[in-house]
Amino acid sequence: MGEKQLNQSMNKYSVVEEGVRVGKDVLIGANAVVLASKDDTLATTLEDSCEVGANSTIYPGVNIGTKALVKPGAVVTTSVPPLAIVEGNPARISG
């Protein structure tokens, strides 16, 4: 799992690759996959209090903003701003 902070919740069969930055109070649903970049200049980051739904995929180098919600099954290929809700493949802001 990536760099660990306080109060994280990661469900069964989820994968968070080494090198992913994970903030406080982050929830990661079952079967979610968060990929790390092989390039040190492109960090994958899950900011504080964000939620990643079950069966979601977060691509390398993507930033999920504070209190953002990635709905189940979303494939996130670009960064998500704080407080946004994203869904779909590829993920798009829906709220």
Side-chain angles (χ1 to χ4, degrees):
M1 187 167 151
E3 299 172 25
K4 196 164 186 183
Q5 297 291 327
L6 299 174
N7 301 323
Q8 294 173 348
S9 176
M10 190 168 95
N11 286 296
K12 267 187 168 180
Y13 310 113
S14 296
V15 175
V16 177
E17 289 188 339
E18 188 172 337
V20 172
R21 295 182 185 142
V22 181
K24 298 176 189 171
D25 301 318
V26 172
L27 301 175
I28 301 172
N31 298 313
V33 177
V34 184
L35 303 171
S37 177
K38 296 188 185 343
D39 181 357
D40 292 336
T41 62
L42 292 173
T44 305
T45 304
L46 304 178
E47 293 183 6
D48 294 346
S49 302
C50 71
E51 297 182 29
V52 178
N55 300 308
S56 297
T57 302
I58 311 297
Y59 273 43
V62 169
N63 181 60
I64 306 298
T66 301
K67 296 186 179 179
L69 171 63
V70 176
K71 287 197 168 180
V75 178
V76 184
T77 59
T78 59
S79 292
V80 176
L83 302 171
I85 300 171
V86 297
E87 63 183 330
N89 181 4
R92 302 218 188 281
I93 295 176
S94 63

